[in-house]
Amino acid sequence: MAEHDVETSAATAVVDAAPADRRGVDGVLARVRAGAGELTGALRRVAEHVLSDPEAAARATIVELAERSGTSPATITRFCRAMGFEGYADLRLGIAAETGRARSAGWTVDIGREIQPGDPLSRVLDQIMAADTRAMHDTAALLDLGEVERAAVAIAGASRVNIFGASGSALVGEEMQFSLHRIGVAAWAWSDVHEGLASAALLGVGDVALGISHTGQTRETIELLAEAGSHGATTVALTGFPRSPLAELADIVLVTASQATTFRPDALSARHPQLVVLDLLYIAVAQRTHDRAHAAFRRTAQAVDGHKAAKGSLS
């Protein structure tokens, strides 16, 4: 029999609060994965157990899940509330439906399995494809399209857009900056803190600042977004953690999911979902500035056309 657990004050604070606003969240495991980082103690153990073997969790009774996670049935009930479910029955049904869809789609083939040095590339490819497919679907479940709409409207009407990110997030930001420039949006991507702060200080009402950080805890990105917001700019956060420091200070939050694999921890595996969300945002901006965007895209395409190799010139 599992030892009766004692909740820490931090965990109790999470479960005693009203369930988080989960609009746009349909994927149960994506919801648990996104919320696990906010939990501590016994609640965290329940989340980790559910994520480690969702199919077994879907088959378990509340008492069995409590025993396997080293907690109590009361903790399982509090965990369900913290994740936005009315009770354990709703959680079980949701997990069962999701694991069934994943199995039929082939997403579970290699997810969670360590890539071994001797694995053939065909197996490695299958694992990467399965993990990325699952991350894309989880992102679609977590993403609030209303927030995407708000961000698109803000960018479409902005005088200038600043994009902030560090390391891998900087690369994702540069991709977004290039896309926006192609349709005539005045956008800049900054990874250097000093240059970014100087630019953020010049933003104002009607401008937009987009901060990209999977963890939402990158201090430089938080500082840059805060500086922009202090001058009246609309702030947008792209992160995997909706209650992270970056998300807390942003006016608009876009949430992504990730599915880590060997050699691709969360921060790296989040790159493709981040690009998908930003691509959606870019297209939404282009829709709202259609005539200007179409003309700008045509002109920019013509400008670089002369640098393409002529057919047959390489023979």
Side-chain angles (χ1 to χ4, degrees):
M1 192 67 169
E3 180 183 352
H4 185 73
D5 54 286
V6 179
E7 303 290 349
T8 65
S9 58
T12 303
V14 171
V15 297
D16 286 343
D21 183 0
R22 303 289 181 178
R23 291 175 298 170
V25 179
D26 298 316
V28 176
L29 296 178
R31 186 186 306 188
V32 173
R33 194 173 293 111
E38 303 166 7
L39 305 177
T40 59
L43 294 178
R44 181 67 174 265
R45 295 203 299 274
V46 176
E48 291 173 347
H49 185 79
V50 168
L51 294 173
S52 68
D53 194 347
E55 293 188 4
R59 295 191 299 268
T61 66
I62 189 170
V63 173
E64 290 170 340
L65 184 59
E67 290 179 344
R68 294 171 187 174
S69 59
T71 62
S72 68
T75 297
I76 303 300
T77 299
R78 289 195 292 272
F79 172 77
C80 294
R81 287 177 50 205
M83 292 295 104
F85 295 98
E86 292 185 3
Y88 183 58
D90 291 337
L91 177 68
R92 281 186 68 187
L93 288 173
I95 295 174
E98 187 166 342
T99 54
R101 288 194 300 271
R103 195 184 309 110
S104 65
W107 302 340
T108 61
V109 174
D110 277 325
I111 293 180
R113 174 187 175 277
E114 288 291 315
I115 296 175
Q116 302 301 322
D119 283 349
L121 287 181
S122 60
R123 188 178 186 91
V124 175
L125 176 61
D126 286 344
Q127 181 168 349
I128 292 173
M129 291 295 292
D132 279 359
T133 300
R134 183 56 179 269
M136 298 296 186
H137 280 266
D138 284 354
T139 294
L142 288 168
L143 192 61
D144 186 338
L145 294 180
E147 292 286 87
V148 177
E149 173 79 23
R150 289 179 61 205
V153 170
I155 293 174
S159 300
R160 57 186 295 171
V161 177
N162 272 6
I163 303 170
F164 305 123
S167 189
S169 295
L171 299 177
V172 174
E174 289 173 3
E175 178 75 15
M176 183 60 169
Q177 185 266 341
F178 176 73
S179 296
L180 291 175
H181 252 310
R182 286 295 304 269
I183 58 172
V185 175
W188 288 264
W190 304 98
S191 57
D192 180 85
V193 176
H194 290 190
E195 294 176 349
L197 284 172
S199 184
L202 296 176
L203 296 180
V205 176
D207 296 324
V208 174
L210 167 63
I212 304 172
S213 170
H214 172 64
T215 63
Q217 295 179 347
T218 304
R219 282 188 285 183
E220 294 85 350
T221 305
I222 294 169
E223 183 180 3
L224 290 165
L225 203 67
E227 178 69 23
S230 70
H231 296 285
T234 298
T235 53
V236 182
L238 179 67
T239 180
F241 296 87
R243 292 186 181 178
S244 63
L246 185 70
E248 291 290 343
L249 68 84
D251 299 314
I252 301 169
V253 180
L254 308 179
V255 181
T256 60
S258 63
Q259 184 69 56
T261 61
T262 311
F263 308 121
R264 296 172 73 218
D266 280 344
L268 290 178
S269 61
R271 180 175 55 192
H272 292 156
Q274 286 174 337
L275 288 171
V276 166
V277 172
L278 291 179
D279 201 32
L280 174 63
L281 178 58
Y282 154 71
I283 292 174
V285 173
Q287 287 178 312
R288 285 151 186 78
T289 59
H290 180 270
D291 292 343
R292 183 185 75 186
H294 183 73
F297 198 87
R298 185 176 64 252
R299 290 199 303 272
T300 55
Q302 290 173 345
V304 301
D305 192 57
H307 288 266
K308 295 179 181 179
K311 291 183 179 180
S313 64
L314 299 179
S315 58

